[in-house]
Structures are given as structure tokens and as C-alpha cells.
Amino acid sequence: MVSKKSLSILFLIFSTLFLKSQESKFRLGVGLKPIKSSVESDPYLNLQEFYAISPCIVIDYKLTNKFSISSGIEYEKKGGEGDLTATILGGQLIDVLTTFQLHFLQVPIMVTYKTNGKVKFLGNLGVNVGYLFDQSISTKNNIQPKLETDFSEFELSLLLGAGLEIDCGEKFDLGLGIRNNIGLTELKSAGGNLDLKTNTIGLLLNLSYNL
């Protein structure tokens, strides 16, 4: 006959296994990323970087205690600005500050490695798929009308990142890191007159909730 003690031990074992199986491996978070955006152009235009704020939603799936798959969706305003020659009324040529504005929705897919402990060091490596949903060229003081551009709408880029993650209790984690989004494909204008390749680097602050 099985003793009550043995039944109690079996009950505890199965209860523990059941609870473990119910633990969610997903984590959901929100973040903000101040970024510095720059572009390379062909033919060469002397475009300087500008700064913007990028909000994001972060989703993590835990593979092991140290590795996870990270994804989500984020908005980034990319582009550059510089003095370009423009023709004004009367046919006069002047140099005017011109801004290329490229608005992206992006889906990053990364492998994240992190150390153990209450304060964890982490690194990210992956790719980013971006959709250019709004694009234009504007000039300072609206010297020229805002012009809609026709660059290719999809971009693939390389993601590199590193940072810290702080355990804020059983359910919450606070992250602080740096991320570089390096364009791998060129944005080509429909007429073939200009190609752009983007690059952003930003400081990411995010708060995550363990589901």
C-alpha cells in the first residue's frame, strides 16, 4: 500500500511540474529611443545627421535563462539634411537647407544573450525589416514646396546592441542600452537618380512586464 507520505511527495512533484508548465516565456514591454540618423547617398550629397525620438513595443520569448528571441514593432524617423541648390522665383539659384524625411515602421528580429543576476549585461544581434510609409523632402522656411519622394518602400538592416537589464521584482524589468541600425539595402528612387543608405544609432530605455 502506498503511504500517505509517498502520495504527498508525488502530489508536490506533479504540482510543481504543472506550475512550471504554466509559466509564460513571453515578455511584453514599451520603450523610447532617442536616435541620431544619417544617410549615405549616391551620387554624393553632403547630408548631415539629425536627431529624433523612436517609440517601440518590445516582445521577448525566453529560450533559456541566457538566450531569448526579441522582436516587436517600432517607429523610426530617418534621413539627413544639408544645403542643396534650389531654384526660386525669377530663376535665381540659391543654397537652401533641405531635409530628407523618411518615416519607417520596423520589425526587429534579434537573438539576445544576457548574464545572470539582478543586474544583467546583455547583447543583441539580428536584422530589421523596415517599411517606408511616408517620405518627403522639405526646405527651411518652406522656400520650396514640400516634395513627396519615390524611394523603394522596404529596407533590410543589421542590428547590433548592448546594454543592461535591471530586475525590478517578479514581474518587471528595466532595460537601458545602445542600438545601431545599419542599412544593408539601398533605398532607390523610382527614376534611378538617387540611392540612399540609412544608419541610426540610439539609446534605448524600456520597461518590460513578464506575462
mmCIF file of all heavy atoms in Angstrom, residues 59-60 63 66-71 107-114 121-129 156-163 178-182 184 204:
data_model
loop_
_atom_site.group_PDB
_atom_site.id
_atom_site.type_symbol
_atom_site.label_atom_id
_atom_site.label_comp_id
_atom_site.label_asym_id
_atom_site.label_seq_id
_atom_site.Cartn_x
_atom_site.Cartn_y
_atom_site.Cartn_z
ATOM 1 N N ILE A 59 8.683 42.612 -27.706
ATOM 2 C CA ILE A 59 8.212 41.281 -27.334
ATOM 3 C C ILE A 59 9.423 40.352 -27.250
ATOM 4 O O ILE A 59 10.223 40.269 -28.191
ATOM 5 C CB ILE A 59 7.202 40.727 -28.361
ATOM 6 C CG1 ILE A 59 5.996 41.650 -28.493
ATOM 7 C CG2 ILE A 59 6.752 39.323 -27.971
ATOM 8 C CD1 ILE A 59 5.063 41.273 -29.627
ATOM 9 N N ASP A 60 9.568 39.675 -26.115
ATOM 10 C CA ASP A 60 10.663 38.723 -25.920
ATOM 11 C C ASP A 60 10.094 37.330 -25.674
ATOM 12 O O ASP A 60 9.080 37.179 -24.972
ATOM 13 C CB ASP A 60 11.534 39.118 -24.721
ATOM 14 C CG ASP A 60 12.214 40.462 -24.915
ATOM 15 O OD1 ASP A 60 12.732 40.698 -26.019
ATOM 16 O OD2 ASP A 60 12.222 41.273 -23.968
ATOM 17 N N LEU A 63 14.157 31.527 -24.433
ATOM 18 C CA LEU A 63 14.573 30.192 -24.858
ATOM 19 C C LEU A 63 15.220 29.438 -23.706
ATOM 20 O O LEU A 63 14.897 28.286 -23.436
ATOM 21 C CB LEU A 63 15.548 30.300 -26.031
ATOM 22 C CG LEU A 63 15.001 30.935 -27.313
ATOM 23 C CD1 LEU A 63 16.119 31.109 -28.330
ATOM 24 C CD2 LEU A 63 13.882 30.081 -27.907
ATOM 25 N N LYS A 66 19.589 32.340 -20.444
ATOM 26 C CA LYS A 66 20.523 33.323 -21.002
ATOM 27 C C LYS A 66 20.162 33.783 -22.413
ATOM 28 O O LYS A 66 20.608 34.856 -22.832
ATOM 29 C CB LYS A 66 21.946 32.762 -20.985
ATOM 30 C CG LYS A 66 22.511 32.596 -19.575
ATOM 31 C CD LYS A 66 23.997 32.261 -19.607
ATOM 32 C CE LYS A 66 24.565 32.221 -18.196
ATOM 33 N NZ LYS A 66 26.021 31.963 -18.199
ATOM 34 N N PHE A 67 19.395 33.005 -23.131
ATOM 35 C CA PHE A 67 19.090 33.356 -24.516
ATOM 36 C C PHE A 67 17.590 33.586 -24.706
ATOM 37 O O PHE A 67 16.758 32.880 -24.127
ATOM 38 C CB PHE A 67 19.548 32.249 -25.477
ATOM 39 C CG PHE A 67 21.036 32.201 -25.676
ATOM 40 C CD1 PHE A 67 21.812 31.344 -24.910
ATOM 41 C CD2 PHE A 67 21.655 33.021 -26.602
ATOM 42 C CE1 PHE A 67 23.192 31.289 -25.081
ATOM 43 C CE2 PHE A 67 23.025 32.974 -26.795
ATOM 44 C CZ PHE A 67 23.804 32.111 -26.022
ATOM 45 N N SER A 68 17.270 34.560 -25.552
ATOM 46 C CA SER A 68 15.873 34.826 -25.903
ATOM 47 C C SER A 68 15.804 35.353 -27.329
ATOM 48 O O SER A 68 16.803 35.830 -27.887
ATOM 49 C CB SER A 68 15.236 35.825 -24.934
ATOM 50 O OG SER A 68 15.923 37.060 -24.973
ATOM 51 N N ILE A 69 14.623 35.265 -27.912
ATOM 52 C CA ILE A 69 14.340 35.874 -29.203
ATOM 53 C C ILE A 69 13.577 37.169 -28.935
ATOM 54 O O ILE A 69 12.572 37.168 -28.217
ATOM 55 C CB ILE A 69 13.495 34.944 -30.100
ATOM 56 C CG1 ILE A 69 14.242 33.639 -30.368
ATOM 57 C CG2 ILE A 69 13.148 35.636 -31.412
ATOM 58 C CD1 ILE A 69 15.505 33.787 -31.188
ATOM 59 N N SER A 70 14.047 38.260 -29.495
ATOM 60 C CA SER A 70 13.434 39.572 -29.261
ATOM 61 C C SER A 70 12.880 40.119 -30.571
ATOM 62 O O SER A 70 13.537 40.049 -31.613
ATOM 63 C CB SER A 70 14.453 40.551 -28.683
ATOM 64 O OG SER A 70 14.989 40.070 -27.470
ATOM 65 N N SER A 71 11.678 40.671 -30.503
ATOM 66 C CA SER A 71 11.055 41.278 -31.669
ATOM 67 C C SER A 71 10.169 42.426 -31.206
ATOM 68 O O SER A 71 10.346 42.960 -30.113
ATOM 69 C CB SER A 71 10.271 40.240 -32.475
ATOM 70 O OG SER A 71 9.830 40.780 -33.702
ATOM 71 N N VAL A 107 10.193 46.048 -37.965
ATOM 72 C CA VAL A 107 10.063 44.827 -37.170
ATOM 73 C C VAL A 107 11.465 44.245 -36.978
ATOM 74 O O VAL A 107 12.036 43.685 -37.907
ATOM 75 C CB VAL A 107 9.152 43.794 -37.853
ATOM 76 C CG1 VAL A 107 9.110 42.506 -37.035
ATOM 77 C CG2 VAL A 107 7.742 44.354 -38.040
ATOM 78 N N PRO A 108 12.027 44.415 -35.773
ATOM 79 C CA PRO A 108 13.333 43.813 -35.498
ATOM 80 C C PRO A 108 13.183 42.341 -35.110
ATOM 81 O O PRO A 108 12.197 41.961 -34.462
ATOM 82 C CB PRO A 108 13.848 44.645 -34.314
ATOM 83 C CG PRO A 108 12.622 45.095 -33.611
ATOM 84 C CD PRO A 108 11.543 45.246 -34.662
ATOM 85 N N ILE A 109 14.154 41.530 -35.496
ATOM 86 C CA ILE A 109 14.213 40.119 -35.086
ATOM 87 C C ILE A 109 15.639 39.858 -34.620
ATOM 88 O O ILE A 109 16.576 39.886 -35.418
ATOM 89 C CB ILE A 109 13.839 39.174 -36.239
ATOM 90 C CG1 ILE A 109 12.451 39.513 -36.793
ATOM 91 C CG2 ILE A 109 13.876 37.714 -35.773
ATOM 92 C CD1 ILE A 109 12.099 38.787 -38.065
ATOM 93 N N MET A 110 15.786 39.635 -33.307
ATOM 94 C CA MET A 110 17.125 39.559 -32.733
ATOM 95 C C MET A 110 17.261 38.361 -31.795
ATOM 96 O O MET A 110 16.295 37.927 -31.174
ATOM 97 C CB MET A 110 17.436 40.828 -31.924
ATOM 98 C CG MET A 110 17.409 42.109 -32.707
ATOM 99 S SD MET A 110 17.692 43.525 -31.612
ATOM 100 C CE MET A 110 16.175 43.477 -30.642
ATOM 101 N N VAL A 111 18.488 37.873 -31.678
ATOM 102 C CA VAL A 111 18.868 36.951 -30.618
ATOM 103 C C VAL A 111 19.509 37.783 -29.515
ATOM 104 O O VAL A 111 20.399 38.592 -29.773
ATOM 105 C CB VAL A 111 19.849 35.881 -31.119
ATOM 106 C CG1 VAL A 111 20.316 35.004 -29.955
ATOM 107 C CG2 VAL A 111 19.198 35.022 -32.190
ATOM 108 N N THR A 112 19.018 37.602 -28.289
ATOM 109 C CA THR A 112 19.537 38.352 -27.146
ATOM 110 C C THR A 112 20.202 37.400 -26.166
ATOM 111 O O THR A 112 19.617 36.372 -25.798
ATOM 112 C CB THR A 112 18.411 39.119 -26.433
ATOM 113 O OG1 THR A 112 17.837 40.058 -27.335
ATOM 114 C CG2 THR A 112 18.946 39.872 -25.220
ATOM 115 N N TYR A 113 21.407 37.757 -25.753
ATOM 116 C CA TYR A 113 22.124 36.991 -24.725
ATOM 117 C C TYR A 113 22.268 37.875 -23.498
ATOM 118 O O TYR A 113 22.607 39.057 -23.597
ATOM 119 C CB TYR A 113 23.519 36.576 -25.220
ATOM 120 C CG TYR A 113 24.383 36.004 -24.117
ATOM 121 C CD1 TYR A 113 24.274 34.662 -23.755
ATOM 122 C CD2 TYR A 113 25.292 36.812 -23.431
ATOM 123 C CE1 TYR A 113 25.057 34.138 -22.737
ATOM 124 C CE2 TYR A 113 26.074 36.286 -22.412
ATOM 125 C CZ TYR A 113 25.951 34.956 -22.059
ATOM 126 O OH TYR A 113 26.716 34.438 -21.049
ATOM 127 N N LYS A 114 22.005 37.320 -22.325
ATOM 128 C CA LYS A 114 22.152 38.093 -21.091
ATOM 129 C C LYS A 114 22.782 37.235 -19.994
ATOM 130 O O LYS A 114 22.633 36.005 -19.983
ATOM 131 C CB LYS A 114 20.808 38.643 -20.624
ATOM 132 C CG LYS A 114 19.794 37.622 -20.192
ATOM 133 C CD LYS A 114 18.472 38.263 -19.784
ATOM 134 C CE LYS A 114 17.740 38.832 -20.968
ATOM 135 N NZ LYS A 114 16.383 39.302 -20.646
ATOM 136 N N PHE A 121 23.999 41.991 -17.856
ATOM 137 C CA PHE A 121 24.572 42.563 -19.066
ATOM 138 C C PHE A 121 24.017 41.790 -20.264
ATOM 139 O O PHE A 121 23.868 40.567 -20.204
ATOM 140 C CB PHE A 121 26.100 42.468 -19.036
ATOM 141 C CG PHE A 121 26.729 43.282 -17.951
ATOM 142 C CD1 PHE A 121 26.990 42.724 -16.704
ATOM 143 C CD2 PHE A 121 27.045 44.615 -18.159
ATOM 144 C CE1 PHE A 121 27.560 43.471 -15.694
ATOM 145 C CE2 PHE A 121 27.614 45.377 -17.157
ATOM 146 C CZ PHE A 121 27.874 44.798 -15.910
ATOM 147 N N LEU A 122 23.715 42.497 -21.338
ATOM 148 C CA LEU A 122 23.112 41.819 -22.484
ATOM 149 C C LEU A 122 23.697 42.318 -23.801
ATOM 150 O O LEU A 122 24.235 43.424 -23.896
ATOM 151 C CB LEU A 122 21.585 41.990 -22.472
ATOM 152 C CG LEU A 122 20.996 43.401 -22.533
ATOM 153 C CD1 LEU A 122 20.822 43.853 -23.979
ATOM 154 C CD2 LEU A 122 19.661 43.462 -21.819
ATOM 155 N N GLY A 123 23.542 41.473 -24.816
ATOM 156 C CA GLY A 123 23.938 41.820 -26.174
ATOM 157 C C GLY A 123 22.889 41.355 -27.158
ATOM 158 O O GLY A 123 22.220 40.339 -26.927
ATOM 159 N N ASN A 124 22.718 42.102 -28.249
ATOM 160 C CA ASN A 124 21.725 41.770 -29.282
ATOM 161 C C ASN A 124 22.408 41.663 -30.641
ATOM 162 O O ASN A 124 23.323 42.421 -30.949
ATOM 163 C CB ASN A 124 20.635 42.836 -29.405
ATOM 164 C CG ASN A 124 20.022 43.234 -28.092
ATOM 165 O OD1 ASN A 124 20.224 44.330 -27.641
ATOM 166 N ND2 ASN A 124 19.267 42.352 -27.482
ATOM 167 N N LEU A 125 21.915 40.753 -31.452
ATOM 168 C CA LEU A 125 22.366 40.636 -32.835
ATOM 169 C C LEU A 125 21.183 40.162 -33.657
ATOM 170 O O LEU A 125 20.499 39.195 -33.298
ATOM 171 C CB LEU A 125 23.518 39.642 -32.958
ATOM 172 C CG LEU A 125 24.014 39.336 -34.380
ATOM 173 C CD1 LEU A 125 24.600 40.592 -35.026
ATOM 174 C CD2 LEU A 125 25.034 38.213 -34.360
ATOM 175 N N GLY A 126 20.916 40.860 -34.778
ATOM 176 C CA GLY A 126 19.793 40.447 -35.604
ATOM 177 C C GLY A 126 19.622 41.308 -36.834
ATOM 178 O O GLY A 126 20.551 42.010 -37.262
ATOM 179 N N VAL A 127 18.430 41.239 -37.393
ATOM 180 C CA VAL A 127 18.106 42.017 -38.591
ATOM 181 C C VAL A 127 16.827 42.809 -38.333
ATOM 182 O O VAL A 127 16.080 42.528 -37.394
ATOM 183 C CB VAL A 127 17.928 41.115 -39.839
ATOM 184 C CG1 VAL A 127 19.232 40.434 -40.198
ATOM 185 C CG2 VAL A 127 16.814 40.097 -39.612
ATOM 186 N N ASN A 128 16.618 43.782 -39.184
ATOM 187 C CA ASN A 128 15.454 44.655 -39.060
ATOM 188 C C ASN A 128 14.798 44.793 -40.435
ATOM 189 O O ASN A 128 15.472 45.057 -41.440
ATOM 190 C CB ASN A 128 15.910 46.023 -38.560
ATOM 191 C CG ASN A 128 14.756 46.908 -38.138
ATOM 192 O OD1 ASN A 128 14.138 46.683 -37.116
ATOM 193 N ND2 ASN A 128 14.474 47.913 -38.937
ATOM 194 N N VAL A 129 13.491 44.587 -40.490
ATOM 195 C CA VAL A 129 12.734 44.779 -41.727
ATOM 196 C C VAL A 129 11.929 46.066 -41.582
ATOM 197 O O VAL A 129 11.107 46.190 -40.660
ATOM 198 C CB VAL A 129 11.800 43.592 -42.012
ATOM 199 C CG1 VAL A 129 11.027 43.835 -43.308
ATOM 200 C CG2 VAL A 129 12.589 42.293 -42.098
ATOM 201 N N LEU A 156 16.162 46.407 -45.505
ATOM 202 C CA LEU A 156 16.704 45.396 -44.607
ATOM 203 C C LEU A 156 17.957 45.975 -43.961
ATOM 204 O O LEU A 156 18.803 46.552 -44.639
ATOM 205 C CB LEU A 156 17.050 44.116 -45.378
ATOM 206 C CG LEU A 156 17.601 42.955 -44.540
ATOM 207 C CD1 LEU A 156 16.530 42.415 -43.586
ATOM 208 C CD2 LEU A 156 18.124 41.850 -45.451
ATOM 209 N N SER A 157 18.066 45.825 -42.648
ATOM 210 C CA SER A 157 19.222 46.384 -41.958
ATOM 211 C C SER A 157 19.743 45.419 -40.901
ATOM 212 O O SER A 157 19.044 44.500 -40.462
ATOM 213 C CB SER A 157 18.883 47.737 -41.328
ATOM 214 O OG SER A 157 17.746 47.644 -40.510
ATOM 215 N N LEU A 158 20.985 45.639 -40.502
ATOM 216 C CA LEU A 158 21.657 44.848 -39.474
ATOM 217 C C LEU A 158 21.502 45.553 -38.133
ATOM 218 O O LEU A 158 21.691 46.772 -38.035
ATOM 219 C CB LEU A 158 23.135 44.691 -39.821
ATOM 220 C CG LEU A 158 24.030 44.027 -38.770
ATOM 221 C CD1 LEU A 158 23.667 42.542 -38.623
ATOM 222 C CD2 LEU A 158 25.510 44.187 -39.150
ATOM 223 N N LEU A 159 21.174 44.783 -37.087
ATOM 224 C CA LEU A 159 21.013 45.339 -35.747
ATOM 225 C C LEU A 159 22.109 44.829 -34.829
ATOM 226 O O LEU A 159 22.348 43.617 -34.730
ATOM 227 C CB LEU A 159 19.652 44.946 -35.153
ATOM 228 C CG LEU A 159 18.417 45.605 -35.748
ATOM 229 C CD1 LEU A 159 17.165 45.005 -35.124
ATOM 230 C CD2 LEU A 159 18.433 47.109 -35.541
ATOM 231 N N LEU A 160 22.773 45.757 -34.138
ATOM 232 C CA LEU A 160 23.768 45.439 -33.121
ATOM 233 C C LEU A 160 23.399 46.204 -31.859
ATOM 234 O O LEU A 160 23.078 47.396 -31.921
ATOM 235 C CB LEU A 160 25.173 45.845 -33.580
ATOM 236 C CG LEU A 160 25.697 45.219 -34.874
ATOM 237 C CD1 LEU A 160 27.000 45.881 -35.287
ATOM 238 C CD2 LEU A 160 25.906 43.718 -34.688
ATOM 239 N N GLY A 161 23.449 45.539 -30.708
ATOM 240 C CA GLY A 161 23.073 46.230 -29.478
ATOM 241 C C GLY A 161 23.757 45.660 -28.257
ATOM 242 O O GLY A 161 24.247 44.528 -28.258
ATOM 243 N N ALA A 162 23.789 46.455 -27.194
ATOM 244 C CA ALA A 162 24.344 46.033 -25.912
ATOM 245 C C ALA A 162 23.717 46.901 -24.832
ATOM 246 O O ALA A 162 23.229 48.002 -25.104
ATOM 247 C CB ALA A 162 25.858 46.159 -25.888
ATOM 248 N N GLY A 163 23.719 46.391 -23.582
ATOM 249 C CA GLY A 163 23.151 47.201 -22.516
ATOM 250 C C GLY A 163 23.062 46.469 -21.206
ATOM 251 O O GLY A 163 23.717 45.441 -20.976
ATOM 252 N N ILE A 178 22.229 50.526 -25.914
ATOM 253 C CA ILE A 178 22.514 51.258 -27.140
ATOM 254 C C ILE A 178 22.297 50.311 -28.310
ATOM 255 O O ILE A 178 22.581 49.111 -28.212
ATOM 256 C CB ILE A 178 23.953 51.810 -27.120
ATOM 257 C CG1 ILE A 178 24.182 52.747 -28.307
ATOM 258 C CG2 ILE A 178 24.985 50.693 -27.083
ATOM 259 C CD1 ILE A 178 25.464 53.540 -28.201
ATOM 260 N N ARG A 179 21.725 50.847 -29.401
ATOM 261 C CA ARG A 179 21.430 50.002 -30.558
ATOM 262 C C ARG A 179 21.802 50.728 -31.844
ATOM 263 O O ARG A 179 21.463 51.894 -32.026
ATOM 264 C CB ARG A 179 19.954 49.604 -30.590
ATOM 265 C CG ARG A 179 19.628 48.588 -31.684
ATOM 266 C CD ARG A 179 18.176 48.181 -31.631
ATOM 267 N NE ARG A 179 17.853 47.489 -30.393
ATOM 268 C CZ ARG A 179 16.616 47.149 -30.045
ATOM 269 N NH1 ARG A 179 15.596 47.453 -30.842
ATOM 270 N NH2 ARG A 179 16.390 46.518 -28.920
ATOM 271 N N ASN A 180 22.478 50.000 -32.715
ATOM 272 C CA ASN A 180 22.880 50.525 -34.022
ATOM 273 C C ASN A 180 22.100 49.784 -35.109
ATOM 274 O O ASN A 180 22.083 48.562 -35.151
ATOM 275 C CB ASN A 180 24.383 50.331 -34.204
ATOM 276 C CG ASN A 180 24.965 51.110 -35.369
ATOM 277 O OD1 ASN A 180 26.115 50.940 -35.722
ATOM 278 N ND2 ASN A 180 24.205 51.996 -35.983
ATOM 279 N N ASN A 181 21.417 50.552 -35.970
ATOM 280 C CA ASN A 181 20.602 50.012 -37.055
ATOM 281 C C ASN A 181 21.281 50.396 -38.377
ATOM 282 O O ASN A 181 21.184 51.532 -38.826
ATOM 283 C CB ASN A 181 19.194 50.606 -36.955
ATOM 284 C CG ASN A 181 18.227 49.977 -37.923
ATOM 285 O OD1 ASN A 181 18.585 49.098 -38.692
ATOM 286 N ND2 ASN A 181 16.992 50.443 -37.908
ATOM 287 N N ILE A 182 21.997 49.457 -38.982
ATOM 288 C CA ILE A 182 22.845 49.721 -40.148
ATOM 289 C C ILE A 182 22.155 49.208 -41.409
ATOM 290 O O ILE A 182 21.946 47.997 -41.565
ATOM 291 C CB ILE A 182 24.216 49.040 -39.994
ATOM 292 C CG1 ILE A 182 24.863 49.435 -38.656
ATOM 293 C CG2 ILE A 182 25.133 49.395 -41.162
ATOM 294 C CD1 ILE A 182 26.041 48.563 -38.281
ATOM 295 N N LEU A 184 21.402 47.665 -44.825
ATOM 296 C CA LEU A 184 22.100 46.728 -45.718
ATOM 297 C C LEU A 184 21.670 46.915 -47.171
ATOM 298 O O LEU A 184 22.449 46.669 -48.091
ATOM 299 C CB LEU A 184 21.818 45.284 -45.286
ATOM 300 C CG LEU A 184 22.321 44.876 -43.892
ATOM 301 C CD1 LEU A 184 21.857 43.451 -43.570
ATOM 302 C CD2 LEU A 184 23.843 44.972 -43.819
ATOM 303 N N LEU A 204 18.386 53.195 -25.977
ATOM 304 C CA LEU A 204 17.067 52.603 -25.758
ATOM 305 C C LEU A 204 16.781 52.446 -24.267
ATOM 306 O O LEU A 204 17.568 51.835 -23.525
ATOM 307 C CB LEU A 204 16.979 51.234 -26.445
ATOM 308 C CG LEU A 204 15.696 50.430 -26.237
ATOM 309 C CD1 LEU A 204 14.504 51.185 -26.780
ATOM 310 C CD2 LEU A 204 15.804 49.053 -26.876
#
